[in-house]
Amino acid sequence: MEDSFFSGVTGRIPYGGLDSVDPLSFHVYQPDRMVLGKRMEDQLRIAICLWHSFNWPGSDVFGAGTFDRPWLDSRLEPMLAARAKLDAAFEFISKLGVPFFCFHDRDIAPEGRGFAESRANLEAMVGAAEEHMARTGVKLLWGTANLFSHPRYAGGAATNPDPEVFAYAAAQVKLMLEMTKRLNGANYVLWGGREGYETLLNTDVAREEAQFARFLSMVAEHKHRIGFKGALLIEPKPQEPTKHQYDYDAATVHGFLVRHGLDGEYRLNLEVNHATLAGHSFHHEVAYAITHGMFGSVDANRGDYQNGWDTDQFPNSVDELSLAVYEVLRSGGFETGGFNFDTKLRRQSIDRADLFHAHIGGIDTLAKALLVATAMIEDGRLEQLRAERYASWDGELGRSILSGDVLFEMLAGRVETGEIDPRPRSGHQEMLENIVNQEIWSADQPAVVEAGERR
Ligand code: XLS
Ligand code: NI
Ligand code: NI
């Protein structure tokens, strides 16, 4: 295999500005630009995922892979192929110039003939990743274990009717948690995989809930035992691959964690397309998680509103993402999380450069959304109008209700005398939407804010 897989792209993708006609340049993303007191790179914390971008051949249920991914050829010696894949991935990440990557155990190391061989493969490849990270400065945003591809997991991992499958999943997560710690990962993610059901006719939902809770407790316990300092994140998704996934959405996962006393141990990794599959806007999911102290990280992508599966397309809507980034910025920005590109090329995007075009577009969209959201915050009108809308709750009546000192009878008395007689007030939705559009449309990008200066 070639020394340089992406030799068609020479050097690091530059910032070209809005007028650049070079498709291999960023139009908005400037890593060093200061935005709300932080470098743009540190606000967005962008990561490349190794699964869709390097470990997926471009197959679908009707056809074989279309992509040029020579390391996926099954005739190759698996560890040689794994090294070629990792070399190409790090070449890509360095040329794109983003700070993080994410991977499942099986993305970087092939499954062996038994657990011991799988472990040896993973340890060797984590060693290779360590070298690439030291050489390039790229860091690990999160690691995760693939508990859904192998046939043993067809009936779920922790929620499997067979406790031996639970045990196998435990061994796999234990190892991958340790590998994530070794690589200094900022987070560890658990996406539900096949934790759900196909039919209630063969499913004991109560047992599966108890098993799942047990598993998540054991993960948290092991995290503390080994001293992993990153955050544990659960990634909600409502369906696919199973008909019904237990981690349906942010609120469902939050309820589950609270039920089992685990809400202090886990936060959420929210994916845009999973939100839309659950019938929510993405910013709803973000706002819910933030409100409940559960916000962790984001899988950036988008779905297709005309179909009902996880198309994982690259994000391209500033309008939609600005609203989500606004929620993130209002809460003070990412702590351990970032924007991970859990995104798939379309099957016909077969040129090597297409992977660059896709990521450049997605990153520019996020960068622009960051600037728009910053403008929304600096402008201040939205926040002020929201505060005014609730202002009476800080008055005598509002405070007395919330203090718990007032009973229904006392309120009813004041209503009956006519002392209290509310008049409907406008929610001004269209006016607020106009303010957002004004920020999106403003030709000038928002003023650069210097480090440390927060307006
Ligand atoms: C699948 C999920 C998956 C997780 C990692 O829909 O998005 O890619 O992010 O296991
Ligand atoms: Ni995801
Ligand atoms: Ni997904």
Side-chain angles (χ1 to χ4, degrees):
M1 253 170 268
E2 313 103 296
D3 285 346
S4 164
F5 185 72
F6 295 104
S7 53
V9 176
T10 45
R12 190 167 159 163
I13 301 293
Y15 169 71
L18 279 179
D19 298 332
S20 169
V21 290
D22 177 3
L24 289 171
S25 68
F26 289 112
H27 294 92
V28 188
Y29 184 63
Q30 276 177 287
D32 291 325
R33 178 171 177 174
M34 294 304 292
V35 183
L36 276 183
K38 278 189 202 164
R39 293 169 64 247
M40 196 178 246
E41 178 176 285
D42 300 330
Q43 288 282 16
L44 295 175
R45 294 169 59 85
I46 285 164
I48 298 310
C49 91
L50 293 205
W51 48 106
H52 298 324
S53 292
F54 292 90
N55 208 28
W56 173 57
S59 51
D60 69 11
V61 282
F62 296 100
T66 54
F67 298 154
D68 174 22
R69 301 282 185 269
W71 48 82
L72 297 181
D73 187 331
S74 60
R75 291 163 301 188
L76 292 172
E77 195 282 306
M79 287 297 279
L80 208 68
R83 285 180 194 279
K85 176 171 34 178
L86 204 62
D87 291 350
F90 273 88
E91 184 193 350
F92 177 78
I93 299 166
S94 311
K95 285 186 169 170
L96 195 62
V98 298
F100 291 103
F101 76 114
C102 298
F103 71 100
H104 301 81
D105 46 3
R106 300 297 180 248
D107 298 328
I108 69 164
E111 178 136 7
R113 274 157 298 191
F115 191 85
E117 191 177 287
S118 299
R119 165 193 272 279
N121 288 349
L122 184 61
E123 283 176 343
M125 291 310 300
V126 164
E130 243 167 1
E131 285 169 26
H132 279 295
M133 291 166 74
R135 182 177 55 78
T136 59
V138 172
K139 296 174 297 257
L140 179 62
L141 187 66
W142 49 264
T144 186
N146 181 326
L147 304 180
F148 45 89
S149 292
H150 193 281
R152 77 172 69 85
Y153 294 125
T159 62
N160 202 287
D162 179 355
E164 290 202 359
V165 178
F166 182 111
Y168 206 97
Q172 215 181 312
V173 171
K174 173 181 179 291
L175 178 60
M176 191 51 200
L177 200 51
E178 290 162 8
M179 294 298 111
T180 302
K181 174 177 185 258
R182 177 170 152 195
L183 295 177
N184 237 326
N187 307 275
Y188 184 87
V189 166
L190 294 115
W191 165 55
R194 295 178 193 273
E195 312 294 22
Y197 62 77
E198 292 297 332
T199 171
L200 285 171
L201 295 175
N202 67 10
T203 303
D204 184 330
V205 174
R207 272 185 188 275
E208 295 201 0
E209 165 138 354
Q211 290 169 216
F212 201 12
R214 192 71 213 108
F215 193 84
L216 294 180
S217 303
M218 290 166 85
V219 174
E221 191 273 334
H222 194 65
K223 168 197 153 150
H224 296 301
R225 181 184 300 258
I226 64 174
F228 174 58
K229 295 282 173 272
L232 295 177
L233 307 178
I234 295 180
E235 183 177 324
K237 185 174 184 180
Q239 68 264 330
E240 193 203 31
T242 69
K243 169 188 159 54
H244 177 88
Q245 304 266 133
Y246 294 131
D247 292 335
Y248 196 94
D249 61 1
T252 307
V253 173
H254 180 223
F256 179 94
L257 293 171
V258 170
R259 253 190 331 275
H260 297 283
L262 288 166
D263 48 319
E265 298 286 0
Y266 287 89
R267 292 187 186 184
L268 301 174
N269 182 43
L270 300 170
E271 179 165 318
V272 182
N273 202 164
H274 298 180
T276 48
L277 289 179
H280 301 305
S281 63
F282 181 55
H283 49 282
H284 164 89
E285 289 290 87
V286 172
Y288 181 91
I290 288 170
T291 301
H292 298 283
M294 303 293 294
F295 181 67
S297 198
V298 171
D299 273 4
N301 58 23
R302 76 181 151 101
D304 180 319
Y305 293 118
Q306 277 78 54
N307 64 28
W309 68 93
D310 200 13
T311 59
D312 289 331
Q313 284 161 262
F314 282 79
N316 65 359
S317 169
V318 172
D319 294 24
E320 290 188 18
L321 276 177
S322 297
L323 297 172
V325 178
Y326 177 61
E327 298 298 333
V328 175
L329 289 186
R330 281 180 66 222
S331 78
F334 285 117
E335 286 176 35
T336 60
F339 282 108
N340 167 47
F341 274 82
D342 192 351
T343 38
K344 285 160 133 165
L345 288 170
R346 298 305 89 192
R347 275 181 91 237
Q348 295 174 67
S349 302
I350 58 174
D351 289 352
R352 292 181 187 182
D354 285 323
L355 199 58
F356 281 93
H357 295 310
H359 283 89
I360 288 170
I363 292 168
D364 270 341
T365 302
L366 279 175
K368 183 69 185 174
L370 175 69
L371 294 176
V372 171
T374 300
M376 287 162 69
I377 285 180
E378 291 182 338
D379 174 298
R381 277 179 292 168
L382 291 169
E383 213 50 67
Q384 190 194 332
L385 288 161
R386 189 203 311 259
E388 282 169 11
R389 188 157 181 254
Y390 290 92
S392 339
W393 280 97
D394 296 328
E396 179 270 319
L397 177 63
R399 274 186 288 144
S400 68
I401 292 172
L402 293 181
S403 70
D405 296 341
V406 166
L407 302 176
F408 259 16
E409 280 171 12
M410 297 152 85
L411 292 177
R414 289 173 71 180
V415 170
E416 275 159 23
T417 61
E419 184 204 336
I420 291 177
D421 186 12
R423 301 264 173 267
R425 284 184 263 170
S426 175
H428 299 304
Q429 182 171 338
E430 295 80 3
M431 183 181 79
L432 299 170
E433 288 167 347
N434 291 351
I435 293 175
V436 174
N437 275 346
Q438 194 185 352
E439 307 295 1
I440 293 172
W441 295 338
S442 48
D444 284 329
Q445 297 192 358
V448 174
V449 179
E450 294 306 324
E453 180 190 334
R454 190 149 190 167
R455 279 184 277 165

